[in-house]
Amino acid sequence: MAKRLSARWRRVLGRHGPVICVASFMGLWALLGPGVAATLLLPAWVIAAQLIFVGSFEAARLRRRAWLGQYLDSASPWHRWVRGGLLMALWHQGLAILLALLLLVKLRLLPPVYWPVLLLSLVTLVLVQQLLRRQLQRHVIDEYVAALVRRLLVWPAGTLLALLLVLTALWLPQPYLVGLGWEEAVIRHTSTTAGDGLLGAFERFGQALELTQYWAMQNALERHGLGQGLAVFGWFLLLLSQSAFAWAVVRLTVGADALRDTLGHLRNAERKDAP
């Protein structure tokens, strides 16, 4: 019985290990105290950035490979020059660094009510991934099934999570900022619990951005001649911040899954090469 349960857990971890690891990573990071989080900022930033990079770079290479296969002859030197190398890697690495920073800061600022939304989105992502894999296995070359599933998964999962985050943000009570100047609103409502150092500065900046979006939307009617522009600016910040956070969460999960597959391929290659 124990062996059967152990084998079942190994199968679960093998199949859903990346999602479990991502959920654990995000939860532990959010629960860390300010001092410990500030100390672990750099390694957490590196880990998150590289996981996001793995998934993003894989999708970019897949798109480029399909484009090359459709339009360019394999014997052409252009095939080698534009297949995606250092410049593509640097672009996606820079994007991954920014998304990872946004993810880590946002996780530290999330109210507890957001966590069921995140967990629900991760469960939905797993279910959609399994459905896509079953549908594509009959039509796609085995070598590309997993990568194509990850690529197709990003947009629907990211859009769904962004929508849920925006609805949750609008549902939550917000500080009353009508009639306050922007500087006064930021100073009065910025939390003093943020730690010192680089992470604390990022957290305060993130709080200021959140307050700015709500300040703009609440004061739109109070600012004659600027009301419509302020409302648009507030909505733009809200949609941008929540969408970027959703994109980072999905990219982190997809990247963890891509890394698991890459390591599995390497282990299989080593076994084949072993005498």
Side-chain angles (χ1 to χ4, degrees):
M1 183 69 177
K3 290 182 179 179
R4 206 178 309 164
L5 289 174
S6 177
R8 183 177 300 176
W9 274 109
R10 282 199 298 270
R11 286 197 300 270
V12 170
L13 290 175
R15 187 179 305 171
H16 307 307
V19 174
I20 296 173
C21 289
V22 166
S24 301
F25 172 80
M26 293 194 300
L28 289 173
W29 174 254
L31 291 173
L32 289 177
V36 179
T39 303
L40 296 178
L41 173 62
L42 184 57
W45 195 353
V46 170
I47 291 171
Q50 295 317 300
L51 287 178
I52 293 172
F53 168 76
V54 168
S56 179
F57 191 63
E58 178 193 56
R61 291 295 296 269
L62 187 65
R63 289 194 302 269
R64 184 64 59 86
R65 191 178 302 170
W67 186 86
L68 292 176
Q70 184 173 0
Y71 294 108
L72 288 183
D73 191 290
S74 59
S76 170
W78 283 93
H79 196 282
R80 184 179 67 257
W81 295 339
V82 300
R83 66 185 176 186
L86 180 61
L87 289 179
M88 181 186 287
L90 289 176
W91 166 256
H92 286 277
Q93 189 68 252
L95 183 62
I97 290 172
L98 292 177
L99 284 176
L101 177 60
L102 182 145
L103 174 77
L104 295 177
V105 173
K106 190 76 172 178
L107 286 172
R108 301 284 301 171
L109 301 176
L110 278 185
V113 71
Y114 278 93
W115 284 98
V117 175
L118 285 178
L119 294 177
L120 175 63
S121 68
L122 291 178
V123 172
T124 304
L125 188 147
V126 170
L127 295 176
V128 175
Q129 184 180 28
Q130 291 178 342
L131 178 62
L132 282 174
R133 188 183 294 272
R134 284 198 297 267
Q135 293 297 321
L136 293 178
Q137 276 179 339
R138 296 174 293 174
H139 308 286
V140 178
I141 300 171
D142 289 344
E143 180 184 354
Y144 298 109
V145 169
L148 185 59
V149 166
R150 285 189 286 268
R151 184 180 173 225
L152 294 176
L153 189 65
V154 170
W155 276 105
T159 302
L160 175 62
L161 179 56
L163 179 62
L164 291 175
L165 290 173
V166 169
L167 292 176
T168 305
L170 295 176
W171 174 74
L172 285 176
Q174 301 299 332
Y176 186 73
L177 306 174
V178 175
L180 296 178
W182 176 78
E183 292 184 5
E184 183 182 1
V186 171
I187 292 174
R188 181 180 297 184
H189 293 281
T190 298
S191 173
T192 58
T193 58
D196 297 326
L198 189 61
L199 180 59
F202 285 139
E203 289 180 10
R204 285 186 286 273
F205 181 72
Q207 289 175 336
L209 282 181
E210 289 185 357
L211 286 167
T212 299
Q213 66 194 26
Y214 294 118
W215 173 85
M217 287 187 286
Q218 291 181 20
N219 286 276
L221 298 177
E222 300 291 324
R223 306 285 171 168
H224 299 292
L226 295 176
Q228 187 175 2
L230 273 178
V232 171
F233 179 67
W235 277 102
F236 172 76
L237 279 182
L238 176 64
L239 294 174
L240 179 64
S241 62
Q242 302 294 8
S243 298
F245 177 62
W247 189 260
V249 171
V250 173
R251 277 294 183 196
L252 183 73
T253 310
V254 168
D257 190 70
L259 181 61
R260 187 269 308 272
D261 281 359
T262 300
L263 295 177
H265 292 326
L266 291 175
R267 284 195 296 268
N268 292 335
E270 289 178 357
R271 292 194 191 102
K272 290 180 180 179
D273 294 339

